[in-house]
Amino acid sequence: MRKPIRRLLTIFAAAAVALPAALAAPASAAPAPTVVAEERVDARTLDLTVDSPAIGQKANVRLLLPDGWDNRPSGKTWPVLLMLGGCCWSDGDGHESWVQKTDIETYPELRKVIVVQPIGGKAGYFSNWKQAGGPRWEDFHLDEVLPLVEKNYGGGKKRAIAGLSMGGFGALSYAGRRPGMFAAAASYSGTVHTQLFMLGPSSVQAVLIGQGLDPNGLWGDPVKDEKTWAAHNPAELTDNLRKIPVYLSSGNGEAGPLDAPGTGFDVKEKTIEGMSQLVATKLLLSGGKVQTSFYGEGTHAWPYYGRELKNSLPMLMGALGV
């Protein structure tokens, strides 16, 4: 009996020595995002390529620079406007969409801030995917891109966020999920109520299926994983959103003044109008600071997004102190 007891005592003694050493050993640091390339497109446009652990790929980010950026003194910073694009751009060109499709470079207000325009994937939905090994878009945008802009490119701690369509969802979802991070948020024809009866879940999952993605890979099953869906849904985040100015805009789906001749009725935009009106009402009833632009005739199209961005700039810039 003594030999087995001695053997056990030896094992326990070795474990007692090893355990504190194991506890003291530093955990391996998570890989950090890095800027692997820069391209100066023109006097005010700087494109970055970020090697992102969060999404497991190299990703593009476009910065629209403020006046005086090249000659900034040490420590000089500018407020940041994070601009999110819509769905179904290829992974490479989403960062160019706002500049290509609107005239934001001509807006004088945007010469006083750094406009950050990252890719969002074909249908990333500005979320860390529930699916094992899925992309972590929220981490990429908020925990990788923004800190890199602040560390290396003059970004300050005053931030606002805006987006169109899927990006309108992202703007309000991010602002609601990260209270205190953004001073204001704006949605232009955004899918801001992803649990609206059956319309919300079906519209989200139809987009995912259309891009060849697992419809349950994003937030799980809409019924079984209802809490995960709600945790990203702007309509369920109004307790946080009511603390900041929010801009909501949408058309009613009928062809409007900015549509091409022969444009038909847009069911998607009509659905989005209903979503946006419900969220606006919920915010107003809770004492939120809401500015709305439900402008009637208009479809889900770029000319309206650019116009609404321009109309929302006084609110966004005011929140940034510009």
Side-chain angles (χ1 to χ4, degrees), residues 130 194-206 208 214-230 233:
K130 187 177 180 70
T194 51
Q195 293 174 288
L196 176 62
F197 308 116
M198 287 307 295
L199 291 174
S202 62
S203 64
V204 171
Q205 293 197 313
L208 298 174
D214 179 357
N216 291 334
L218 175 59
W219 302 316
D221 180 89
V223 177
K224 294 178 182 177
D225 297 290
E226 180 183 2
K227 290 183 178 179
T228 304
W229 280 72
N233 183 6

Side-chain angles (χ1 to χ4, degrees), residues 37-182:
E38 294 181 358
E39 180 186 358
R40 192 63 178 264
V41 178
D42 57 38
R44 288 190 59 215
T45 307
L46 178 64
D47 281 354
L48 312 177
T49 303
V50 177
D51 191 355
S52 167
I55 57 174
Q57 68 179 72
K58 292 182 175 67
N60 296 319
V61 179
R62 171 159 288 188
L63 304 184
L64 188 61
L65 303 171
D67 291 339
W69 185 86
D70 283 310
N71 300 314
R72 65 191 184 279
S74 177
K76 168 70 175 176
T77 63
W78 285 265
V80 169
L81 175 60
L82 180 59
M83 294 287 296
L84 306 179
C87 169
C88 310
W89 292 84
S90 72
D91 286 345
D93 65 5
H95 67 299
E96 300 173 340
S97 58
W98 276 105
V99 170
Q100 288 178 339
K101 299 291 185 177
T102 73
D103 56 351
I104 65 170
E105 290 174 297
T106 69
Y107 299 168
E109 299 94 330
L110 298 184
R111 303 186 78 96
K112 302 173 184 178
V113 300
I114 298 176
V115 184
V116 180
Q117 305 153 83
I119 68 165
K122 291 182 179 179
Y125 270 97
F126 302 96
S127 302
N128 295 344
W129 279 47
K130 187 177 180 70
Q131 170 183 299
R136 305 192 324 271
W137 287 104
E138 180 177 337
D139 289 353
F140 170 61
H141 293 131
L142 306 186
D143 298 326
E144 294 184 344
V145 171
L146 288 183
L148 282 172
V149 172
E150 291 168 9
K151 180 180 178 182
N152 300 322
Y153 301 98
K157 295 294 185 181
K158 287 185 176 180
R159 313 177 194 91
I161 186 169
L164 68 98
S165 192
M166 187 179 74
F169 156 82
L172 267 60
S173 183
Y174 280 174
R177 286 175 57 78
R178 302 282 186 109
M181 177 171 274
F182 298 100

